[in-house]
């Protein structure tokens, strides 16, 4: 199944509801597909690679992002992200070839194809100009600059009382799984009998602060001093846990360094080609310790 | 005596004409040719004029001998607050059983097609010879109608009395809009000689005729009136007037048109523009006419519009540039032809959108019997807009937006044009008649007719003016002409017949004098007060929003509902009972199609229903609640237990049903929430059996019935399960066993794949399982764009036709297509072609749009190239200063209470980060490899840059003098960092030195 049609539909619609997205996936999926898994995979693919924002502003809606030619960490490489239509795609391919760039269409099982462009910087910029989209050479850095650190978010959130008659589960960092009941300084999920659950972080005074699921888990890790992120300086890879993935905006920054979604190795999610500065920024912004560089390690050892 | 009376009128009108030419700051001067009417002339003239219409109307309608119509007699006159406020004249006159073209002719609870009801109109028997008092009031407002009041009925005449003040004197100018009909000699004679007419008024009035007795006069020519004694001159009157004068066995009193009379006073040409007639002076040219002429010249025309106009061409000698003649009634053939004149520009996109919505939704979509009704209500407007634009507004918002667009069009296009409403008799660029939106507004005005504090229920034109916002003139909205209005309707009627072979509903031939108001009223058999009760009917009957209800079914429903709930108003019931029944049913059918499923009770509480939705996950049936979300309902509905988020337009997202919900489902439930001080209720009524029919979703949704020939599902309680299964087996002809699904509520059974193919009367209590044979087109699948009927070309829907008989045609774009045994329409790839497709199943037609995906407007921002990229820096906890290569590139980073470091983002390339405090020691981190050499400070830097350069230099210098420790992000540059740092230190020294020198 080509999920380009899904992206075309979302692009034309501009925005929509989460249920509408799920229905669209069901329409396009084959009868034998595991729809639930597919919906989740598609959602994160579209979000991580900067095509669509999901659950914007706390709502259960999605919104397509403007088409942008995104420069990647390997210099001279870019991908086309954001909304796109068949017309825009054709124009992109034609302009790329005409301007002497290497155009590649990378088909992916659970997402729209990635349109990758290789060439000199002026060539990339010229392609963007010709097809009328913005060229952002260091898009990952720009995106990272917009991130509000989790510790700042956490400090700004107001304390709330627990919803009455809602069931609660907490995220346990030992088992890296949800457990019944409310744990201190943990990310907890309150669920009504009907409807959508809400995520909170339990604070020291027994109050709650509302945050999205992934952010709540990272804040809880910050409060408990649990390390969830690491950086492999040798391979320039940022490593996260599969059962505690990066918040969406952080994952997008990491993915748009390479133009690829993370690979899975055991219980680790590996984001390739993440520059050390961006990796350090993401770690600190997510409430994690900044990764030590080799030089820092040398200095520390010397000291 | 007649002559005396007529002379008084003429004098008044002539004086008024003279005044009009000098209107403004200039002093009013007497003309030797103008007879100054005295104050006493006002009642004479007004009463004479007032009596004219009644007399003539009477004659026209009944052709009753004059002997039966005694002359009114003034019995008293009063002026309670002086000339400047009000003057009232009481006269005695016989009431006559005649039809006036007044607002009272048609009462709220009565069809315009019906004769006056006994309580509103005097019967002929009782009126003739019976004297009643009629009060003629000259009201003190800028524009008010003269009114004739009797104890029983108030009749607004067509006379407009307008008070104008003169700065120089106490004179007050009243302008009487005189009807076209001439004065009956005997009436005037009697009036003028009636006792008490001349003595009561304390101050002199000056009456001015805003329109001439001549409908069509050339403004550039002087026209005169020659009485038989030659003493008075006046603009020429119409042929009708002449004819009438002849009929009175007088010589024609008036000179022929265009013949100037010597000794004329001010050169006043009075232009008749239908009911709105404006004085035109040859000495003071009308600016609007000049503009129009200029426009015509700009368009390359010698004579704008009128030469091509069929009516103009028929009477060219009576027209002049910039004038608007009183239109004669057009023949249907003539009116159905498009307006041939020049109309500059096109309607606004907003009006064009509404016009399209009206045509597609109201005119082409729905018909009852052989006639098409232009039924317009706020709810229908909201539905029409959603259909064409995919925007869902509340009925009130949709109505406001529609009114504003038509009002703007009327003011900007109709009013400035000399041919006024005639310009609407044409088709726009989209091939649709431009008048549809305007006529829909006229219907909406009729729909809003109800008794109000300051308006009678029958006051149509006032309500129309309220919507148009153009002001009143002559008892009608400014620029409005009855004959033109009728011609526009005829044009629409002709277009519909020609393009679609359908007949627009028009008033009956015996409509009487009130034929113009009857045009919109024909399309409003039920008024607002009854329409507002319809959601209760729909809810009571279990109709689905957007459902197409068969007329027979609706008829039965209305009868049952009337018995159960009391039904409509008396007028509504009458409309339902007489020959307007077809129109009523058409209107209700259209309403249910546009109904959003909400009810609003008297306290303002809004209620919508919760449907049951069945779909499959991993081949297992899953039941969910599917609450409706009509316009105005909150985005998030939270009653403390149920949290619902808005989903697809018109719906909340489904809530999975719990197995413990059996009792609530059986007994009914309601979830209540409040937002913005409005109470919202989502509810489901008690039921033992729930029928589910195919829907636009991925599975069947609860419905008022099963659908004949299409597979649905049924939920029922254990108590009735046996009977339900027996019945379903009889209508499906196969075994129907409940399925064992994990999510089915306790005490309930679920039967899937129920496809009724036999007609069997359901047993008592299972009526909901009746298989409706409604013809429907149900879209399934595909990638739909919003709620309107639009899909992506790469993912078109599958269309299912329900209730279709073998003999009924199934067409796509007028081409016949096949329907398989499951009701699926075999479109053979037609629906992958972009464009608008029309699908017709029997009498049902639906427009379906197939679109090629496009980027929304404004999404591409390729013009924003060159934005500076941002850089981010993460540093250990502490206070840091980030430095770039340029002296003004400086940023700061601090850490908070939480977290493991400091973060900074900057719009320059960061090179160094320094950290030091007041004491010893500092830290310098190299952030970039290789290091960019520092850039010298420019000689003519702005003050802000200098300040930042000082800060930059202080940071470098301050760190340096503290013998800093160096760190680098890369081992290879770690040892080289102090060397690179020296260059920055030197640059900082230079800057400090330069700044010191500059200070000196």
């Amino acid at each position: 199944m080509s999920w380009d049609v899904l992206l075309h539909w979302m692009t034309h619609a501009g925005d929509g509801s989460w249920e509408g997205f799920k229905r669209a996936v069901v329409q396009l999926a084959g009868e034998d597909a595991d729809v639930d898994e597919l919906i989740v995979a598609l959602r994160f693919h579209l979000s991580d690679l900067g095509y669509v924002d999901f659950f914007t502003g706390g709502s259960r809606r999605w919104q397509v992002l403007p088409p942008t030619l995104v420069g990647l960490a390997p210099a001279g490489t870019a991908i086309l992200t954001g909304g796109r239509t068949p017309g825009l795609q054709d124009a992109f391919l034609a302009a790329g070839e005409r301007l002497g760039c290497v155009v590649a269409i990378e088909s992916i099982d659970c997402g729209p194809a990635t349109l990758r462009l290789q060439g000199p910087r002026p060539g990339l910029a010229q392609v963007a100009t010709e097809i009328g989209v913005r060229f952002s050479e260091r898009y990952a850095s720009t995106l990272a600059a917009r991130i509000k650190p989790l510790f700042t978010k956490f400090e700004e959130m107001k304390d709330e009382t627990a919803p009455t008659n809602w069931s609660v589960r907490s995220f346990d960092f030992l088992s890296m799984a949800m457990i019944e009941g409310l744990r201190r300084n943990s990310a907890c999920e309150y669920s009504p009998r009907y409807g959508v659950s809400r995520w909170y972080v339990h604070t020291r005074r027994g109050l709650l602060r509302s945050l999205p699921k992934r952010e709540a888990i990272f804040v809880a890790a910050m409060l408990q001093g649990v390390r969830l992120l690491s950086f492999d300086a040798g391979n320039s890879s940022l490593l996260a846990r599969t059962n505690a993935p990066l918040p969406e905006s952080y994952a997008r920054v990491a993915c748009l360094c390479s133009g690829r979604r993370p690979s899975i190795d055991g219980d680790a999610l590996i984001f390739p080609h993440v520059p050390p500065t961006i990796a350090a920024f993401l770690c600190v912004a997510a409430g994690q310790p900044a990764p030590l560089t080799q030089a820092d390690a040398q200095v520390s050892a010397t000291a | 005596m007649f002559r005396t009376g007529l002379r008084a009128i003429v004098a008044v009108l002539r004086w008024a004409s003279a005044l009009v030419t000098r209107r403004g700051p200039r002093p009013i001067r007497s003309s030797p040719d103008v007879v100054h009417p005295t104050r006493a002339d006002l009642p004479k003239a007004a009463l004479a004029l007032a009596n004219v219409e009644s007399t003539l109307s009477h004659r026209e309608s009944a052709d009753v001998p004059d002997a039966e119509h005694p002359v009114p007699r003034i019995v008293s006159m009063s002026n309670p607050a002086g000339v400047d406020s009000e003057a009232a004249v009481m006269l005695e006159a016989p009431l006559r059983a005649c039809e006036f073209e007044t607002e009272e002719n048609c009462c709220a609870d009565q069809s315009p097609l019906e004769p006056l009801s006994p309580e509103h109109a005097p019967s002929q028997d009782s009126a003739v010879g019976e004297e009643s008092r009629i009060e003629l009031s000259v009201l003190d407002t800028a524009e008010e109608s003269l009114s004739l009041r009797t104890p029983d009925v108030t009749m607004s005449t067509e006379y407009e009395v307008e008070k104008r003040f003169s700065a120089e004197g106490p004179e007050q100018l009243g302008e009487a809009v005189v009807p076209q009909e001439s004065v009956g000699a005997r009436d005037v004679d009697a009036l003028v000689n009636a006792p008490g007419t001349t003595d009561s008024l304390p101050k002199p009035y000056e009456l001015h005729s805003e329109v001439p007795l001549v409908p069509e006069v050339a403004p550039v020519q002087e026209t005169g009136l020659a009485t038989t004694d030659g003493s008075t001159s006046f603009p020429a009157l119409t042929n009708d007037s002449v004819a009438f004068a002849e009929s009175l066995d007088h010589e024609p009193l008036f000179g022929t048109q265009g013949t100037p009379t010597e000794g004329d006073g001010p050169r006043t040409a009075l232009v008749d523009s239908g009911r709105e007639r404006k004085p035109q002076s040859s000495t003071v040219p009308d600016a609007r006419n000049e503009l129009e002429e200029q426009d015509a010249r700009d368009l390359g025309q010698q004579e704008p519009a009128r030469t091509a106009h069929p009516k103009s061409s028929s009477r060219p000698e009576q027209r002049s540039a910039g004038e608007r003649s009183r239109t004669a009634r057009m023949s249907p053939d003539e009116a159905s032809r498009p307006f041939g004149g020049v109309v500059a520009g096109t309607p606004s996109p907003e009006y064009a959108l509404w016009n399209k919505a009206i045509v597609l939704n109201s005119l082409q979509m729905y018909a009852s019997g052989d006639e098409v009704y232009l039924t317009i209500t706020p709810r229908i407007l909201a539905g029409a807009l959603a259909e064409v634009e995919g925007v869902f507004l509340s009925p009130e918002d949709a109505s406001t937006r529609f009114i504003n667009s038509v009002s703007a069009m009327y003011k900007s296009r109709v009013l400035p044009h000399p041919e006024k409403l005639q310009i609407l008799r044409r088709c726009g660029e989209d091939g649709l008649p431009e008048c549809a939106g305007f006529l829909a507004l006229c219907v909406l005005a009729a729909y809003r007719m109800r008794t109000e504090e300051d308006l009678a229920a029958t006051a149509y034109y006032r309500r129309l003016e309220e919507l148009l916002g153009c002001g009143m003139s002559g008892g009608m909205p400014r620029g409005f002409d009855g004959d033109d209005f009728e011609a526009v309707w005829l044009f629409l009627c002709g277009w519909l017949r020609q393009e679609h072979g359908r007949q627009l509903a028009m008033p009956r031939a015996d409509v009487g004098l009130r034929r113009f108001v009857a045009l919109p009223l024909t399309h409003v058999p039920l008024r607002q007060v009854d329409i507002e009760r319809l959601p209760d009917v729909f809810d009571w009957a279990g109709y689905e929003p957007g459902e197409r209800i068969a007329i027979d079914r609706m008829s039965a429903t209305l009868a049952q509902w009337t018995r159960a709930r009391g039904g409509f108003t008396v007028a509504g019931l009458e409309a339902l009972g007489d020959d307007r029944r077809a129109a009523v049913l058409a209107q209700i059918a259209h309403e249910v199609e546009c109904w959003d499923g909400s009810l609003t009770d008297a306290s303002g509480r809004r209620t919508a229903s919760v449907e049951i939705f069945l779909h499959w996950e991993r081949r297992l049936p899953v039941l969910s609640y599917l609450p409706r979300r009509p316009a105005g309902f909150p985005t998030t509905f939270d009653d403390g237990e149920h949290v619902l988020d808005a989903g697809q337009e018109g719906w909340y997202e489904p809530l999975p049903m719990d197995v413990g919900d059996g009792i609530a489902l059986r007994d009914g439930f309601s979830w209540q929430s409040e937002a913005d001080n409005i109470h919202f209720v989502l509810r489901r009524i008690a039921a033992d059996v729930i029928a589910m029919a195919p829907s636009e979703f991925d599975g069947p949704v609860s419905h008022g019935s099963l659908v004949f020939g299409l597979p649905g599902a049924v939920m029922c309680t254990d108590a009735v399960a046996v009977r339900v299964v027996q019945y379903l087996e009889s209508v499906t002809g196969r075994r129907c066993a409940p399925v064992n699904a994990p999510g089915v509520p306790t005490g309930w059974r679920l039967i899937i794949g129920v496809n009724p193919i036999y007609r069997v009367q359901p047993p008592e209590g299972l009526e909901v399982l009746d298989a409706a044979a409604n013809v429907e087109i149900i879209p399934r699948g595909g990638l739909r764009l919003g709620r309107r009927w639009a899909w992506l070309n790469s993912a078109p829907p599958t269309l299912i036709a329900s209730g279709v008989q073998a003999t009924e045609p199934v067409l796509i774009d007028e081409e016949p297509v096949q329907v398989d045994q499951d009701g699926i329409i075999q479109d053979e790839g037609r629906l992958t072609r972009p464009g608008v497709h029309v699908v017709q199943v029997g009498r049902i037609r639906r427009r379906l749009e197939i679109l090629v995906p496009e980027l929304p407007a404004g999404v591409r921002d390729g013009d924003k190239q060159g934005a500076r990229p941002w850089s981010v820096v993460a540093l250990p906890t502490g206070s840091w200063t980030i430095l770039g290569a340029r002296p003004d590139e400086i940023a700061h980073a601090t850490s908070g209470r939480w977290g493991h470091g400091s973060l900074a983002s900057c719009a320059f390339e960061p090179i160094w980060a320094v950290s030091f405090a007041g004491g010893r020691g500092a830290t310098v981190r190299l952030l970039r490899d290789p290091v960019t050499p520092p850039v010298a400070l420019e000689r003519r830097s702005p003050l802000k840059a200098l300040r930042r350069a000082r800060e930059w230099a202080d940071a470098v210098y301050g760190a340096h003098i503290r013998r800093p420790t160096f760190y680098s992000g890369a081992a290879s540059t770690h040892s080289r960092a102090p060397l690179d740092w020296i260059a920055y230190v030197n640059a900082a020294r230079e800057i400090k030195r330069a700044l010191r020198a500059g200070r000196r």
Side-chain angles (χ1 to χ4, degrees), chain B residues 777 799 808-819 825-833 836-842 844-846:
Chain B
I777 304 169
L799 297 181
E808 288 182 308
V810 179
L811 309 172
I812 296 180
D813 300 333
E814 308 296 334
E815 294 176 9
V817 293
Q818 299 295 316
V819 178
I825 298 174
Q826 306 296 313
D827 65 84
E828 295 168 357
R830 288 179 176 85
L831 298 185
T832 58
R833 289 200 290 268
V836 175
H837 302 277
V838 178
V839 183
Q840 183 173 353
V841 176
I844 300 290
R845 289 161 65 95
R846 293 303 302 248

Side-chain angles (χ1 to χ4, degrees), chain B residues 873-917:
Chain B
V873 181
L875 296 160
T877 304
S879 179
W880 293 85
T881 302
I882 319 297
L883 304 171
R886 292 170 53 87
D888 58 348
E889 291 178 341
I890 183 168
H892 301 279
T894 52
S895 54
R897 178 185 169 197
W898 304 95
H900 297 274
S902 300
L903 297 172
S905 55
C906 48
F908 57 87
E909 191 71 48
I911 309 293
W912 301 97
V914 299
S915 176
F916 58 89

Side-chain angles (χ1 to χ4, degrees), chain A residues 9 23 131 133 138 194, chain B residues 648 661 784 860 865 871:
Chain A
W9 172 74
R23 274 194 296 276
I131 63 173
V133 305
R138 293 197 334 232
Y194 300 97
Chain B
Q648 185 176 334
D661 290 347
R784 192 170 178 173
R860 284 195 194 192
Q865 307 284 8
S871 298

